[in-house]
Amino acid sequence: MGLLPVALGAVAMSLALARTGEAQQGQAPQLPTIFVSGRGEVQVAPDRARVQVGMETQARTSQLAAQENNRKQAALLAAIRKLGIPDANIQPLNYTVHPVQRYDEKLQRVVIAGYQVTNIVQVETDRLELAGPIIDAGLSSGANRVAGLDFIVKDRAKAQDMALTDAVTSARRQADVAARAAGGMIVELIELTINEFERPEPRGMVAMAMKAEAADAPAPIASGTNTISVSVGTRWRFAKSP
């Protein structure tokens, strides 16, 4: 898994100096505090492809639509297995049957004109270069839907740790700058809140929606990168410089 550093910036920063008046009886005066937020980002090269292909079939009866769908699915699975994809990485994702309705002018009401069966198969592989051939194998064997194409990161822990470290470092740097500008210094960290969020995983860019029958090369795919982002909120104790 390759990690690419990117520029980091704070989401927001708020500086609050909670000054106290005269100490109440039996209580010591509290030091002012500084509130700062920071964010860290790490771009990660994906190491797994997830492809969703399937077929929609329509017929006068649900049985006929299902039979045609099953026939195309068998051809689809056979074509994917020829690429060396093990059965453990192939799974049915969605199978639906619903009536196709139309409005009958003569009867003045909605009637059922037939049935549509939709079946989606999800394929995962660590060989990113197979994303295009999987799509082409599906389309050439009867599939008429490409429901999804994602490039993902299997192990995100290392990237998340790096992003978190950068977020806290950014918050501390801002707190130090704010404290010096206010004529003081940071004494200690008294609160840290981690707010992890992830940007949507990038979908592969399919340069060709469907391969032309005369073309021999698979549809070109660009995997892009994934961005792991972590934001933190911090509160620091602040003291005036002597």
Side-chain angles (χ1 to χ4, degrees):
M1 177 175 67
L3 303 177
L4 306 175
V6 298
L8 303 174
V11 175
M13 181 182 77
S14 60
L15 171 61
L17 300 181
R19 304 185 180 280
T20 58
E22 297 181 357
Q24 299 179 0
Q25 184 178 2
Q27 294 182 346
Q30 295 182 353
L31 292 176
T33 57
I34 296 178
F35 298 88
V36 182
S37 63
R39 188 178 75 183
E41 290 186 353
V42 175
Q43 289 186 350
V44 189
D47 54 7
R48 193 171 186 82
R50 178 185 294 152
V51 184
Q52 296 173 2
V53 293
M55 62 289 299
E56 292 180 353
T57 56
Q58 186 171 325
R60 181 175 52 84
T61 66
S62 59
Q63 182 179 8
L64 291 175
Q67 289 175 350
E68 177 65 9
N69 198 284
N70 292 339
R71 184 188 66 79
K72 290 186 176 182
Q73 179 183 339
L76 168 65
L77 295 178
I80 292 175
R81 292 189 182 105
K82 286 182 179 180
L83 297 174
I85 307 294
D87 288 343
N89 290 12
I90 306 172
Q91 63 175 342
L93 189 64
N94 189 26
Y95 187 96
T96 60
V97 180
H98 68 269
V100 178
Q101 299 177 333
R102 66 176 179 83
Y103 185 78
D104 189 301
E105 293 288 350
K106 183 177 181 180
L107 298 176
Q108 295 293 301
R109 63 181 175 85
V110 175
V111 298
I112 296 178
Y115 290 86
Q116 184 180 76
V117 176
T118 302
N119 188 12
I120 303 298
V121 175
Q122 179 170 285
V123 184
E124 293 194 6
T125 177
D126 295 341
R127 298 171 59 189
L128 302 187
E129 71 276 8
L130 287 183
I134 290 172
I135 292 175
D136 290 333
L139 296 177
S140 63
S141 62
N144 53 16
R145 286 193 60 188
V146 179
L149 171 58
D150 297 286
F151 293 95
I152 61 178
V153 178
K154 290 185 295 184
D155 184 8
R156 307 175 74 93
K158 183 178 179 180
Q160 289 172 337
D161 290 347
M162 292 179 62
L164 178 57
T165 299
D166 289 343
V168 175
T169 300
S170 175
R172 175 58 196 255
R173 181 175 62 251
Q174 294 175 84
D176 285 335
V177 172
R180 289 194 299 270
M185 61 182 179
I186 294 299
V187 176
E188 62 178 341
L189 174 67
I190 56 178
E191 185 178 346
L192 173 63
T193 303
I194 302 173
N195 304 307
E196 180 181 339
F197 64 94
E198 300 179 2
R199 294 180 180 174
E201 295 172 346
R203 292 189 177 273
M205 304 282 295
V206 183
M208 296 171 59
M210 294 184 66
K211 183 181 66 173
E213 293 184 1
D216 296 326
I221 305 293
S223 60
T225 59
N226 287 22
T227 300
I228 309 296
S229 301
V230 180
S231 65
V232 298
T234 62
R235 187 157 67 101
W236 309 81
R237 200 175 301 282
F238 166 84
K240 282 289 186 178
S241 297

